[in-house]
């Protein structure tokens, strides 16, 4: 089943999901196992610490030409250790990827590359007579274009972290507050809404006011 | 209070109202089996761990409580896998407790060490490995909460052997659950309910698709009220059977691959499907591309991941079936929908002309529908519960037994695991001691669960086991006949003499080889206070009709022979 955009009839663009997960052993395995067994197509997945020691944060880029992002979101939310999932694709968000690129240099090209990298505000983090390592951060498209620029010189090796994302503004994505979990009341646990409902296109969305 | 890990496990069971455990002991669970002697928990010793999981599943379905099974590490735990996968598929609350090697040995390939949380990760709702006794009280409490709340399912707790012996502080009431990521959906939105009512009020040809979720939510009254108010016909899934009485005039009965043709015809011609607590399994939809082309779809399910998974919903409502239907009821306008209902009657009349119940001759071997119908007529006034295994007999049971109540049919639906019937019946009989529990099982599935006859004897359970002996793995044989041009490959199956077997195990054994012996045999079996093994020698090469061939549209079915042919014999 391929998913196409209703208006353009083109394959849908990738979606970016942000998930807060409990910092417990095996959580990454649970997420990876979910993607594998459901056949979800994922372009990248990053995971890292947050300001709360109990929580880690994942940024997941979903290839929506083959996979419906709302189904990925709903399935992620079902995992007991996943505290919250947000689709930030249509929200104003800062999205960044980081790359380290080791490129071949010689006497002539060295200066040329330094100048070029300056335009991209990329940093030279290591230099030796035959090569240098460039560090560049930015939206994925910027990094793609840096890579294109460097290819003719000879890329020796490269690593990219994959996308991380954060919604702009003073809003706060830290999952539910503790009292929302109804601590201590056994049958009340989870009695609050999980904050999801379906919009007019039957897409799962987070409710307003949450 | 200071308690050992083993005591914590058993006290949690007691606090959760569990007084029966299905299990099998071994090295890594020995501390807990030792403590078992000190608690009033009834342990049922099965003959294979797979059957402990099936029995816990059957217990859960029959009682509405959480079923518990307990086994040792390594082979004990891996033997649970099929049962857990089945409970996962059918949303059954089960807690499995498995012993694990001592915490300091984990990861060393120690004797009988298996990565059980790894193995069962995709077939449990959640699982835990406990290496520190301090975590055990919380984990045990969480396990029960997760198993039974929201969309129920199996939870496995793998407890290291040393954890079972170590002590920690235990005060069950003081344990605060901390599950920030577990918030099963409860609240529904008025606006969505209003929109659902608008769809329903304008529909000319609506059908309610009633699934297992209605039974899990105990929403039978709401279902009936909704259907009656809007005069909306109901089709049920296999697991939705009993969500409304099968004699209710608005209940069309089972849909899908082996549903009656008029039920599928109604779905294919509907202008609105109101799906409640069902997940559009492929046995239910047939070819998705041709499924209910004219219908809008309202999908009500507690699990957001089910909505628009297989069939795209015009309106998805995430919530509990009981609450959503209760909210919907006052907004649904009374209608008579006479034209739609009489159209369905026309389709139904065609099915009636293809009745096969009268086609068995007295002196020949009965076909299975005849036997099922006889069991139904004999037990319908009683508090009877039917458990089936998997195969042709399972589908015939669904077609010919008429279930009046919820939780009156226990069957392995999503996994379709042969061998389920007999152990599930053990669990069911223990849950409902006063009920008359019948197992309908094929000669193939019977032999998968045969050792559990000893458990039935040891537990003194009056289970009535009806083996439909057709000499074949019938369902596979049917597919080979219809789809592989009758090239029979490994489907003929021999069965040992069931009367001798009954004798060896110490149950009453009975056999019927002719149709005219069936009724008497059933009466006799019912008069025996203990368990009975019934050997029904049935027609060998009968097929379950109607049937949607794989990949075909839901109303493109192999049918039973028509009226003319039925009259001249099959
Ligand atoms: C040989 C064989 C043949 C079969 N043929 C057929 C056939 O012809 N027809 C047929 O129907 N089936 C058939 N089945 C069974 C089929 O495979 C599925 O098991 C069955 O259709 C599932 O029914 P369900 O969706 O109602 O139940 P489940 O699979 O148990 O799904 C229940 C749904 O309800 C939801 N739910 C749970 N609790 C609640 C709640 N409180 N409120 C709201 N929603 C809730 C769950 O999230 C889930 O989506 C066959 C099986 C076998 C083995
Ligand atoms: C554990 C398991 N193995 C294989 C199958 C595939 N299968 C489905 S039905 C069937 C035949 C069942 O034969 P029997 O128990 O004799 O019942 P019948 O169909 O003859 O009524 C088989 C092999 C299964 N469902 N489960
Ligand atoms: Mg058979």
């Amino acid at each position: 089943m391929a998913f196409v955009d209703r208006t353009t009839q083109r394959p849908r663009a990738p979606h970016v999901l942000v998930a807060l997960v409990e910092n417990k052993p095996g959580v990454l395995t649970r997420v990876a196992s979910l993607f594998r067994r459901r056949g979800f197509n994922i372009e990248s997945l990053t995971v890292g610490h947050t300001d709360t020691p109990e929580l880690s944060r994942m940024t997941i880029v979903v290839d929506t030409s083959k996979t419906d992002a709302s189904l990925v979101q709903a399935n992620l939310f079902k995992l007991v250790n996943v505290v919250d999932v947000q689709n930030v694709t249509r929200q104003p968000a800062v999205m960044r990827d980081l790359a380290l690129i080791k490129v071949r240099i010689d006497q002539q090209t060295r200066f040329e590359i330094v100048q070029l990298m300056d335009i991209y505000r990329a940093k030279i983090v290591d230099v030796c007579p035959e090569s240098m390592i460039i560090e560049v951060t930015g939206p994925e498209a910027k990094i793609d274009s840096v890579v294109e620029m460097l290819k003719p010189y000879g890329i020796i090796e490269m690593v990219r972290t994959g996308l991380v994302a954060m919604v702009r503004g003073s809003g706060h994505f830290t999952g539910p507050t503790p009292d929302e979990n109804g601590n201590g009341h056994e049958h009340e646990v989870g009695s609050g809404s999980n904050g999801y409902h379906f919009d007019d296109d039957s897409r799962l969305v987070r409710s307003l006011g949450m | 209070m200071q308690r050992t890990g083993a005591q914590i496990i058993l006290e949690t069971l007691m606090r959760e109202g569990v007084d029966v455990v299905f299990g099998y002991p071994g090295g890594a669970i020995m501390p807990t089996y030792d403590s078992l002697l000190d608690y009033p928990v009834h342990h049922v010793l099965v003959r294979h761990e797979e059957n402990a999981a099936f029995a816990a599943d059957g217990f859960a379905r029959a009682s509405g409580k959480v079923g518990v099974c307990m086994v040792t590490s390594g082979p004990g735990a891996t033997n649970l896998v099929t049962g857990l996968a089945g409970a996962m598929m059918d949303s059954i609350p089960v807690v499995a407790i498995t012993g694990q090697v001592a915490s300091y040995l984990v990861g060393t390939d120690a004797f009988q060490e298996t990565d059980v949380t790894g193995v069962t990760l995709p077939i449990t709702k959640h699982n835990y490995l406990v290496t520190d006794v301090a975590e055990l009280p919380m984990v045990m409490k969480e396990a029960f909460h997760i198993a039974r709340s929201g969309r129920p399912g199996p939870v496995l707790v793998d407890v290291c052997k040393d954890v079972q012996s170590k002590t920690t502080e235990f005060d069950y009431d003081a344990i605060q659950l901390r599950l920030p990521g577990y918030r099963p959906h409860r609240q529904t939105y008025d606006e969505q309910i209003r929109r659902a009512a608008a769809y329903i009020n304008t529909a000319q040809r609506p059908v309610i698709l009633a699934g297992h979720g209605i039974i899990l939510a105990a929403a039978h009254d709401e279902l009936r009220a909704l259907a009656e108010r809007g005069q909306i016909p109901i089709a049920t899934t296999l697991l939705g059977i009993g969500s409304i009485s099968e004699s209710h005039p608005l209940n069309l009965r089972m849909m899908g691959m082996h549903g009656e043709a008029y039920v599928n015809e109604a779905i294919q011609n509907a202008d609105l499907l109101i799906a409640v607590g069902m997940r559009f399994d492929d046995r239910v939809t047939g070819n998705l591309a041709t499924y209910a082309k004219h219908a809008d779809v309202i999908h009500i399910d507690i699990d957001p991941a089910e909505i628009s998974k297989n069939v795209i919903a015009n309106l998805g409502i995430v919530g509990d079936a009981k609450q959503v239907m209760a909210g919907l009821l006052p907004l649904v306008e009374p209608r008579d929908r006479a034209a739609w209902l009489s159209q369905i009657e026309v389709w139904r009349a065609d099915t009636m002309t293809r009745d096969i119940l009268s086609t068995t001759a007295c002196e020949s071997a009965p076909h299975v529908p005849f036997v099922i119908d006889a069991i139904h007529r004999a037990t319908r006034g009683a508090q009877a519960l039917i458990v089936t295994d998997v195969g042709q007999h399972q589908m015939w049971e669904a077609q010919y037994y008429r279930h009046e109540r919820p939780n009156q049919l226990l069957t392995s639906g999503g996994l379709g695991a042969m061998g389920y019937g007999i152990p599930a019946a053990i669990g069911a009989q223990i849950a409902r001691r006063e009920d008359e529990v019948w197992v309908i099982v094929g000669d193939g599935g019977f032999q998968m669960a045969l050792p559990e006859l000893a458990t039935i004897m040891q537990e003194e359970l009056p289970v009535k086991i009806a083996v439909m002996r057709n000499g074949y793995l019938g369902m596979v044989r049917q597919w080979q006949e219809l789809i592989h041009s009758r090239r029979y490959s490994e489907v003929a199956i021999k069965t040992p003499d069931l009367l001798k077997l009954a004798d060896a195990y110490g149950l009453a054994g009975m056999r019927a080889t002719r149709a005219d012996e069936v009724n008497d045999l059933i009466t006799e079996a019912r008069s025996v206070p203990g368990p009975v093994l019934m050997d029904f020698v049935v027609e060998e090469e009968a097929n379950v009709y109607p049937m949607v061939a794989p990949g075909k549209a839901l109303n493109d079915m192999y049918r039973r022979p028509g009226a003319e042919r039925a009259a001249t014999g099959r």
Side-chain angles (χ1 to χ4, degrees):
Chain A
M1 191 167 18
F3 293 95
V4 292
D5 189 295
R6 282 171 197 229
T7 42
T8 63
Q9 294 298 313
R10 275 204 296 271
R12 290 194 212 136
H15 276 222
V16 181
L17 305 183
V18 178
L20 280 182
V21 302
E22 284 186 278
N23 212 348
K24 290 198 170 161
V27 174
L28 188 57
T29 317
R30 289 180 198 279
V31 171
S33 163
L34 168 70
F35 292 163
R36 180 189 48 76
R37 68 178 181 270
R38 295 262 176 214
F40 290 156
N41 280 288
I42 298 301
E43 289 185 359
S44 75
L45 186 156
T46 64
V47 53
H49 298 297
T50 66
D51 53 324
T52 322
E54 305 87 64
L55 296 178
S56 296
R57 182 161 164 146
M58 293 183 181
T59 309
I60 302 152
V61 182
V62 183
D63 171 2
T64 50
S65 61
K66 299 195 189 73
T67 297
D68 193 311
S70 63
L71 263 191
V72 179
Q73 189 177 1
N75 275 287
L76 274 171
F77 186 77
K78 230 162 94 166
L79 297 179
V80 170
N81 298 130
V82 174
V83 176
D84 217 341
V85 196
Q86 236 182 355
N87 187 336
V88 301
T89 315
R90 303 234 167 82
Q91 299 189 39
V94 180
M95 307 216 187
R96 290 292 180 269
D97 191 0
L98 180 147
L100 295 175
I101 308 163
K102 188 181 284 180
V103 64
R104 215 176 296 288
I105 56 170
D106 56 33
Q107 298 286 37
Q108 291 134 36
T109 59
R110 182 161 82 182
F111 186 63
E112 206 175 303
I113 293 174
V114 170
Q115 271 193 325
L116 202 57
M117 288 303 101
D118 213 34
I119 302 173
Y120 287 100
R121 277 184 267 159
K123 280 189 245 161
I124 314 296
V125 290
D126 181 63
V127 192
C128 68
E130 296 83 36
S131 71
M132 62 166 75
I133 299 179
I134 292 156
E135 176 196 316
V136 55
T137 1
E140 285 183 308
K142 168 178 161 183
I143 304 205
D144 293 343
S145 105
V146 171
V147 173
E148 283 309 308
M149 297 305 281
L150 290 174
K151 264 188 192 160
Y153 300 102
I155 292 177
I156 300 168
E157 60 175 314
M158 177 176 82
V159 59
R160 291 172 72 155
T161 58
L163 202 72
V164 292
M166 188 174 282
V167 174
R168 292 177 192 275
S170 55
H172 191 59
F173 180 53
T174 53
T177 52
D179 44 319
E180 192 188 326
N181 301 320
N183 270 343
H185 308 281
E186 196 205 334
H187 294 288
E188 290 304 311
V189 173
S191 61
S193 147
N194 66 16
Y196 287 93
H197 72 276
F198 286 82
D199 68 10
D200 288 357
D201 296 332
S202 295
R203 301 273 155 259
L204 189 74
V205 295
R206 236 178 149 238
S207 317
L208 300 172
M210 288 286 297
Chain B
M1 301 162 281
Q2 288 289 311
R3 287 285 183 269
T4 65
Q7 291 169 330
I8 290 168
I9 291 170
L10 292 159
E11 286 188 22
T12 304
L13 299 189
M14 310 219 40
R15 292 302 303 267
E16 294 289 343
V18 176
D19 51 10
V20 55
V21 172
F22 304 89
Y24 209 89
I29 192 79
M30 283 184 70
T32 303
Y33 271 80
D34 184 71
S35 291
L36 191 59
L37 293 171
D38 306 328
Y39 288 87
V41 171
H42 177 59
H43 181 277
V44 177
L45 182 70
V46 293
R47 297 302 187 267
H48 185 293
E49 289 89 348
E50 172 177 297
N51 300 324
F54 284 151
D57 170 313
F59 177 88
R61 292 191 209 222
S63 67
K65 297 191 207 158
V66 178
V68 177
C69 52
M70 183 160 81
V71 302
T72 190
S73 69
T78 54
N79 274 349
L80 285 183
V81 163
T82 308
L84 294 176
M88 183 71 176
M89 275 288 220
D90 290 352
S91 300
I92 304 303
V94 166
V95 168
I97 295 156
T98 50
Q100 182 53 283
V101 300
S103 56
Y104 49 87
L105 290 174
V106 168
T108 66
D109 302 323
F111 176 65
Q112 294 193 330
E113 180 186 1
T114 304
D115 173 10
V116 172
T117 42
V119 168
T120 59
L121 189 146
I123 53 166
T124 50
K125 185 173 171 186
H126 196 56
N127 64 20
Y128 298 88
L129 168 63
V130 185
T131 55
D132 176 0
V133 70
E135 294 172 3
L136 188 62
M138 169 81 96
V139 165
M140 287 300 298
K141 194 167 185 171
E142 284 181 12
F144 277 90
H145 175 66
I146 292 171
R148 76 172 153 240
S149 57
R151 177 178 183 170
V155 178
L156 180 137
V157 186
D158 198 23
V159 190
C160 289
K161 186 172 185 179
D162 54 333
V163 168
Q164 297 166 41
S165 312
K166 285 189 183 146
T167 54
T168 191
E169 181 61 27
F170 181 68
D171 177 357
Y172 197 70
D173 295 317
I175 302 169
Q176 307 251 307
L177 291 183
R178 263 199 315 275
L179 290 165
Y182 184 69
R183 283 160 287 147
H185 197 104
R186 297 271 175 82
Q187 184 193 331
T188 37
Y189 297 86
D190 294 348
E191 175 53 26
Q192 289 172 295
I193 305 243
R194 267 196 298 278
R195 287 183 51 204
Y199 272 111
I200 295 171
N201 291 336
T202 51
Q204 307 286 318
R205 303 185 307 281
V207 178
I208 297 175
L209 307 181
H212 190 202
I214 292 176
I215 294 173
L216 292 168
H220 330 102
D221 294 343
E222 289 77 5
L223 173 68
R224 202 189 59 242
L226 185 68
E228 285 174 356
R229 192 173 164 91
Q231 287 298 300
I232 307 169
I234 298 175
T236 69
T237 63
L238 175 67
L239 297 183
I241 287 178
S243 57
I244 178 164
S245 161
E246 294 208 89
S247 52
H248 193 289
L250 285 170
N251 186 357
L252 307 179
R253 307 187 66 218
M254 187 172 80
M255 64 179 104
M257 180 176 273
H258 293 294
E260 295 299 341
Y262 67 90
V263 187
N264 291 349
E265 205 65 59
I267 292 170
Q268 291 295 74
N269 287 282
D271 65 353
L272 178 68
L273 298 179
I274 308 156
V276 191
M278 56 83 72
R279 59 181 175 82
F280 289 106
D281 186 279
D282 51 87
R283 299 262 146 150
V284 159
T285 60
N287 186 337
L288 271 178
T290 56
Y291 182 67
K293 298 281 276 183
H294 317 289
D296 287 328
V297 176
I298 301 175
H299 195 173
I300 301 166
D301 200 290
I302 202 160
D303 180 357
E306 287 301 339
I307 293 177
S308 296
K309 182 183 77 176
N310 294 339
V311 171
I312 304 290
N314 299 69
L315 177 66
I317 301 184
V318 181
D320 178 68
K322 192 178 180 81
Q323 287 180 14
V324 174
M325 286 194 293
L328 207 46
L329 196 55
L331 304 182
V332 168
E333 292 159 9
R335 287 270 192 286
D336 72 4
R337 297 201 162 90
W340 175 225
L341 293 175
S342 59
Q343 169 63 66
I344 295 174
E345 281 316 307
V346 173
W347 291 321
R348 195 204 296 257
D350 174 64
T351 289
M352 291 312 163
T353 64
R354 298 160 190 264
D355 175 42
I356 55 166
L357 279 181
S358 51
T359 60
T360 287
C362 295
E363 64 288 354
S364 63
H367 53 50
V368 179
F370 181 87
V371 180
I372 305 272
D373 182 60
I375 294 173
H376 172 241
R377 279 183 288 104
T379 57
R380 70 181 150 198
Q383 197 60 25
L385 189 155
I386 313 291
V387 186
T388 79
D389 210 75
V390 170
Q392 290 185 312
H393 62 279
Q394 178 190 27
M395 291 299 108
W396 277 316
E397 197 285 343
Q399 293 178 339
Y400 290 94
Y401 198 101
R402 295 185 174 243
H403 295 271
E404 302 300 323
R405 297 184 301 278
N407 297 313
Q408 202 200 0
L409 164 63
L410 272 51
T411 194
S412 171
L415 193 67
M418 283 171 72
Y420 172 83
I422 289 175
I426 292 175
Q429 184 77 76
I430 287 173
R432 310 225 298 239
R433 294 262 180 197
E434 304 306 315
D435 285 14
E436 190 175 327
V437 175
W438 281 72
V439 191
I440 316 278
V441 57
D443 36 5
F446 171 76
Q447 292 183 74
M448 280 201 182
L450 169 61
E452 297 306 327
L453 292 183
T455 311
I456 288 174
M457 294 316 294
Q458 191 163 340
E459 291 291 321
E460 301 176 7
L461 301 172
V463 174
K464 309 289 183 251
I465 304 166
V467 180
M468 302 296 134
R469 182 151 66 89
N470 55 9
Y472 282 107
L473 301 175
M475 187 56 99
V476 179
R477 185 206 56 73
Q478 171 170 347
W479 281 51
Q480 289 179 352
E481 177 187 331
L482 298 176
I483 297 159
H484 295 268
S485 356
R486 206 163 185 276
R487 282 161 56 85
Y488 287 173
S489 175
E490 297 303 318
V491 287
I493 184 168
K494 283 212 154 48
T495 302
D497 185 331
L498 293 180
L499 297 182
K500 284 188 184 156
L501 209 56
D503 205 33
Y505 277 97
L507 342 59
M510 301 173 187
R511 173 177 296 149
T513 53
R514 294 161 46 122
D516 57 7
E517 295 166 355
V518 168
N519 285 314
D520 289 347
L521 187 147
I522 292 169
T523 309
E524 198 188 331
R526 295 188 71 216
S527 70
V528 175
V532 182
L533 183 61
M534 284 159 270
D535 181 13
F536 288 99
V537 182
V538 294
E539 204 179 295
E540 289 184 344
E541 295 187 55
N543 290 338
V544 182
Y545 295 121
M547 172 180 171
V548 181
K552 288 286 166 45
L554 195 58
N555 51 350
D556 182 1
M557 303 185 88
Y558 291 108
R559 300 290 304 276
R560 294 187 193 102
E564 359 28 89
R565 275 202 286 162
T568 56
R570 292 159 27 79

